[in-house]
């Protein structure tokens, strides 16, 4: 049985005349952490959002296990329950408290009763260090706390894969570490993840595979030590040089 969870084949995406993704091919295997790096506008976030069709590709195929997400007959709502997504701006409901944010999808989409949903939510809130904030007003949390709640909310659905879109970019510098620690813990537990990030030290430490994107293509891919220590492409070298000099 194949351990490929996501298989992206010849995916293209344009916005008007702007070709954002150009024939992207990528496999993501079970328990693998794949990190997308590159300059702003290189196509990283668009590619990530295509993986659960928040952005619909113009052509190509995206297979989640054996299901082609591009097939009109595919039940996207059902499959999306197995694809967790964490956004850079949290996307929490500010009019609900922490635990209600985590139980909403469990009750409405999975049909769980409130007691069972809250038990599961508390389990995952504890996992990200937010159990003591279960009754807290979301609007009063720090950015780091909000992002940890967002991660717990995604984990409550017990997804097969987690997608992270620059999960620390909206955080104050002192809050970045607490979120990255949670993601690193998930990696150690074998969670399959695709991450878009500008945190190079984190990418180097947590990733099994790193993809460097530029102008809508994957210019280079490899293990962290290959990309960071022995990049083959001059553009990759120049990009990483900017970070190592800071």
């Amino acid at each position: 049985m194949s351990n490929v969870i996501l298989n992206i084949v010849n995916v293209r995406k344009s916005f008007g005349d702007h070709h954002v993704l150009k024939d992207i091919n990528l496999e993501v295997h079970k328990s693998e952490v794949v990190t997308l790096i590159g300059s702003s506008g290189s196509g990283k976030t668009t590619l990530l959002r295509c993986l659960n069709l928040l952005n619909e590709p113009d052509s190509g195929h995206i297979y989640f296990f054996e299901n082609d997400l591009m097939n009109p007959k595919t039940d996207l709502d059902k499959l999306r329950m197995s694809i967790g997504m964490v956004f850079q701006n949290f996307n929490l409901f500010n009019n609900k408290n922490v635990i209600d944010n985590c139980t909403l999808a469990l009750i409405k989409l999975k049909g769980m009763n409130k007691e069972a949903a809250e038990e599961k939510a508390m389990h995952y809130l504890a996992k990200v260090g937010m159990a003591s904030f279960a009754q807290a007003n979301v609007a009063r949390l720090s950015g780091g706390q909000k992002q940890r709640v967002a991660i717990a909310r995604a984990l409550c659905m017990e997804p097969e894969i987690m997608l992270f879109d620059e999960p620390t970019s909206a955080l104050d510098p002192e809050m970045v570490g607490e979120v990255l620690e949670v993601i690193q813990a998930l990696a150690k537990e074998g969670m399959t993840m695709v991450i878009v990030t500008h945190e190079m030290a984190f990418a180097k430490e947590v990733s099994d595979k790193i993809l460097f994107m530029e102008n809508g293509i994957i210019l280079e891919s490899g293990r962290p030590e290959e990309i960071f220590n022995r990049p083959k492409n001059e553009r990759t070298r120049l990009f990483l040089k900017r970070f190592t000099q800071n």
Side-chain angles (χ1 to χ4, degrees):
M1 185 174 174
S2 172
N3 70 341
V4 176
I5 287 184
L6 270 176
N7 186 17
I8 295 93
V9 182
N10 298 331
V11 163
R12 294 186 174 200
K13 177 66 180 175
S14 296
F15 295 104
D17 294 330
H18 181 38
H19 300 294
V20 183
L21 299 177
K22 307 165 186 173
D23 278 328
I24 298 291
N25 291 278
L26 168 66
E27 284 187 352
V28 180
H29 297 81
K30 185 172 177 58
S31 298
E32 188 175 41
V33 179
V34 177
T35 302
L36 309 178
I37 65 171
S39 301
S40 296
S42 60
K44 308 182 303 295
T45 289
T46 299
L47 174 56
L48 192 80
R49 289 173 65 87
C50 281
L51 300 184
N52 62 1
L53 264 62
L54 286 178
N55 285 343
E56 188 169 344
D58 299 324
S59 61
H61 297 276
I62 298 172
Y63 297 96
F64 178 54
F65 292 101
E66 73 279 6
N67 303 284
D68 186 357
L69 300 188
M70 299 295 287
N71 186 334
K73 294 180 181 177
T74 297
D75 186 346
L76 280 179
D77 290 335
K78 183 179 178 183
L79 289 180
R80 278 191 183 123
M81 286 196 279
S82 296
I83 304 175
M85 181 88 180
V86 176
F87 301 88
Q88 53 185 303
N89 292 316
F90 325 127
N91 283 22
L92 297 173
F93 296 104
N94 283 327
N95 62 333
K96 296 183 181 296
N97 65 17
V98 166
I99 197 163
D100 286 347
N101 265 275
C102 293
T103 59
L104 186 64
L106 290 173
I107 294 168
K108 287 192 173 292
L109 299 179
K110 288 205 166 183
M112 293 181 70
N113 64 50
K114 191 170 188 286
E115 185 180 0
E118 288 187 349
E119 184 178 343
K120 188 178 288 286
M122 288 302 297
H123 170 76
Y124 287 108
L125 285 170
K127 199 177 191 65
V128 302
M130 289 298 292
S132 61
F133 292 85
Q135 302 301 324
N137 183 335
V138 163
R140 297 183 178 217
L141 299 179
S142 71
Q145 290 169 336
K146 286 180 181 178
Q147 196 60 292
R148 283 189 283 155
V149 171
I151 294 170
R153 177 181 61 179
L155 290 173
C156 281
M157 301 300 284
E158 298 181 335
E160 296 285 349
I161 186 170
M162 290 276 284
L163 310 178
F164 290 89
D165 182 15
E166 299 196 25
T168 61
S169 66
L171 303 181
D172 292 331
E174 64 269 20
M175 296 175 185
V176 168
E178 66 187 63
V179 172
L180 296 184
E181 283 176 14
V182 170
I183 300 173
Q184 284 178 308
L186 292 175
K188 287 176 183 173
E189 291 174 9
M191 172 63 73
T192 310
M193 295 187 275
V194 181
I195 304 169
V196 172
T197 186
H198 288 292
E199 300 285 342
M200 292 300 112
F202 167 70
K204 188 174 184 179
E205 187 174 342
V206 79
S207 308
D208 296 301
K209 182 163 62 185
I210 291 181
L211 312 180
F212 173 65
M213 292 189 68
E214 185 170 89
N215 295 325
I217 64 172
I218 297 171
L219 211 56
E220 187 167 354
S221 68
R223 298 189 63 78
E225 58 269 23
E226 295 168 343
I227 297 296
F228 283 93
N229 301 335
R230 299 182 298 280
K232 296 183 176 69
N233 193 287
E234 181 63 18
R235 297 297 304 156
T236 313
R237 275 196 287 274
L238 289 171
F239 173 79
L240 291 172
K241 190 176 179 183
R242 297 209 317 261
F243 286 93
T244 54
Q245 285 181 337
N246 289 341

